[in-house]
Amino acid sequence: MPGRPAAVIETVGAGELLGWSWPVPHWHLGARATSPVHAYEYDAAAVRELCGKDAELDHALLTYVAGVIAGRLRSARVRLLGLDAPHGAGEVP
């Protein structure tokens, strides 16, 4: 939001998946590193092409990415509902 600091939605660590825009080409999120990063970037079109040729690879990648997305959505929901706060801190009067 203009004029407001960026909201921290998720923090990822070493070995964790940062982005998953390759299966959803128009999905864009930003990220900011707070320490030095070593990352791998893959050509999304090439990954989709490989998955189109190899159903086992396609299934394995999508299953993995869907699991990561589900976990992150669950974590975001818990934070938004205040369920990870001390008892009563997230309740709406």
Side-chain angles (χ1 to χ4, degrees), residues 10-19 32-40 64 68 72:
E10 188 73 39
T11 301
V12 297
E16 292 186 86
L17 179 66
L18 174 62
R32 182 173 56 104
T34 58
S35 64
V37 172
H38 181 84
Y40 297 97
Y64 174 75
V68 171
R72 300 227 178 120

Side-chain angles (χ1 to χ4, degrees), residues 13-25:
E16 292 186 86
L17 179 66
L18 174 62
W20 51 74
S21 60
W22 62 269
V24 186

Side-chain angles (χ1 to χ4, degrees), residues 24-91:
V24 186
H26 300 290
W27 181 274
H28 300 283
L29 294 174
R32 182 173 56 104
T34 58
S35 64
V37 172
H38 181 84
Y40 297 97
E41 180 180 9
Y42 299 94
D43 181 315
V47 173
R48 286 192 299 273
E49 184 178 338
L50 284 172
C51 287
K53 294 176 181 177
D54 185 338
E56 191 173 325
L57 173 65
D58 184 52
H59 178 74
L61 284 174
L62 289 176
T63 298
Y64 174 75
V65 171
V68 171
I69 293 169
R72 300 227 178 120
L73 287 172
R74 185 173 34 257
S75 294
R77 183 173 187 257
V78 166
R79 282 191 308 279
L80 287 170
L81 293 174
L83 298 177
D84 60 347
H87 182 67
E91 293 178 11

